[in-house]
């Protein structure tokens, strides 16, 4: 099956801890994205990567970090500097524009709760 | 800065009714527009994508239209079913350097049997 997987489904973090959310895709997509979803708000872009070993900050990157060492993987680290990390985190991937229509496909999400 | 608004925020209809969900955006210079469905606690499922050069797209009982000049898109659902109950999200891709999606807050649809 082709698709995007995210793990874990639920994650609990204590104050001051860094945690890493996993995102893997087997769609052979070059571009990958991380979004955050809060109740009553639209999804907001945290980081994106158009190609391996390259990534760019989105609208709300403070307190987050990413890496893109492999085409299939785009892990997100929520650091202790993120003041309000409790949210639903969604990973997406797409064929970059110019190679296709840039339709974005989403994973099942990780719900992060700070204790 | 692109802003996306969805009206209504919530909609409750009886089964079998045809319905329209609305999405408006402030900057008409878009690359494409996507409609998604989200079930509670789940990820997003892509329903339809309309390129900026297109006027509409259809998939089964769903039809999405795009009017760039007026900054509007509609999602038409024919013969609604209880299984259509979900939150529907509109997202605009403005192109540029990152091709990010700007999302509306969604319309929560309930179809009553």
């Amino acid at each position: 099956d082709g698709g995007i997987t995210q793990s874990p489904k639920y994650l609990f973090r204590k104050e001051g801890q860094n945690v890493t959310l996993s995102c893997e895709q087997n769609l052979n997509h070059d571009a990958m994205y991380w979004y955050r979803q809060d109740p009553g708000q639209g999804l907001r872009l945290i980081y994106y990567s158009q190609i391996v070993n390259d990534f760019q900050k989105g609208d709300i990157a403070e307190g987050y970090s990413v890496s893109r060492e492999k085409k299939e993987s785009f892990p997100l680290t929520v650091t202790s500097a993120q003041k309000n990390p409790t949210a639903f985190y969604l990973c997406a991937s797409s064929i970059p524009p110019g190679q296709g229509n840039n339709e974005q496909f989403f994973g099942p999400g990780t719900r992060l709760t700070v204790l | 800065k692109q802003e996306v608004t969805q009206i209504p925020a919530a909609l409750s209809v009886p089964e079998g009714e045809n319905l329209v969900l609305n999405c408006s955006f402030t900057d008409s210079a878009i690359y494409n527009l996507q409609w998604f469905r989200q079930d509670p606690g789940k990820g997003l499922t892509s329903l339809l994508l309309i390129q900026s050069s297109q006027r509409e797209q259809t998939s089964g009982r769903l039809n999405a239209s795009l009017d760039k000049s007026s900054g509007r898109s509609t999602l038409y659902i024919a013969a609604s079913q209880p299984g259509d109950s979900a939150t529907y999200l509109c997202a605009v891709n403005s192109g540029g350097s990152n091709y990010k999606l700007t999302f509306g807050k969604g319309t929560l649809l309930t179809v009553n049997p």
Side-chain angles (χ1 to χ4, degrees):
Chain A
D1 279 338
I4 303 174
T5 58
Q6 292 186 241
S7 62
K9 185 174 181 179
Y10 299 98
L11 185 58
F12 298 91
R13 194 194 90 169
K14 295 181 180 179
E15 294 280 353
Q17 272 185 338
N18 292 351
V19 291
T20 298
L21 284 59
S22 169
C23 177
E24 304 277 333
Q25 55 97 1
N26 61 6
L27 300 169
N28 200 33
H29 287 169
D30 284 310
M32 297 187 74
Y33 311 81
W34 274 105
Y35 293 87
R36 168 181 172 143
Q37 186 176 35
D38 295 280
Q41 296 195 39
L43 278 74
R44 293 177 290 168
L45 182 67
I46 304 172
Y47 267 97
Y48 66 99
S49 169
Q50 300 285 15
I51 198 168
V52 174
N53 292 322
D54 184 62
F55 49 83
Q56 304 294 329
K57 293 181 179 180
D59 298 323
I60 54 166
E62 184 176 352
Y64 299 97
S65 66
V66 293
S67 63
R68 187 82 189 278
E69 297 177 0
K70 298 187 300 182
K71 186 176 184 178
E72 302 80 17
S73 179
F74 191 39
L76 173 73
T77 296
V78 184
T79 75
S80 57
Q82 169 51 234
K83 299 305 179 188
N84 185 22
T86 295
F88 192 48
Y89 290 86
L90 290 156
C91 178
S93 71
S94 72
I95 298 173
Q99 300 177 27
N101 62 13
N102 195 231
E103 182 175 8
Q104 294 191 19
F105 296 90
F106 282 75
T110 292
R111 184 165 301 280
L112 173 62
T113 303
V114 174
L115 301 174
Chain B
K1 177 186 174 185
Q2 181 73 267
E3 294 182 0
V4 179
T5 302
Q6 291 187 245
I7 294 174
L11 181 63
S12 181
V13 300
E15 181 176 4
E17 191 163 298
N18 301 328
L19 58 99
V20 173
L21 307 181
N22 296 293
C23 172
S24 62
F25 47 94
T26 55
D27 186 348
S28 62
I30 69 170
Y31 184 73
N32 61 40
L33 184 146
Q34 271 185 268
W35 282 94
F36 294 91
R37 169 186 172 135
Q38 185 176 32
D39 293 293
K42 305 293 186 182
L44 276 61
T45 300
S46 181
L47 297 173
L48 289 164
L49 179 146
I50 310 178
Q51 295 284 45
S52 62
S53 58
Q54 297 174 321
R55 294 299 299 264
E56 65 178 326
Q57 282 286 342
T58 299
S59 176
R61 293 183 294 109
L62 305 179
N63 175 276
S65 68
L66 174 64
D67 184 343
K68 270 202 323 178
S69 61
S70 66
R72 294 186 180 185
S73 176
T74 61
L75 178 66
Y76 175 83
I77 302 177
S80 59
Q81 303 170 358
D84 295 330
S85 298
T87 297
Y88 290 81
L89 297 165
C90 167
V92 172
N93 186 330
S94 297
S97 61
N98 61 25
Y99 292 86
K100 74 170 188 178
L101 293 177
T102 301
F103 283 83
K105 295 181 180 180
T107 294
L108 174 61
L109 173 65
T110 303
V111 181
N112 301 300

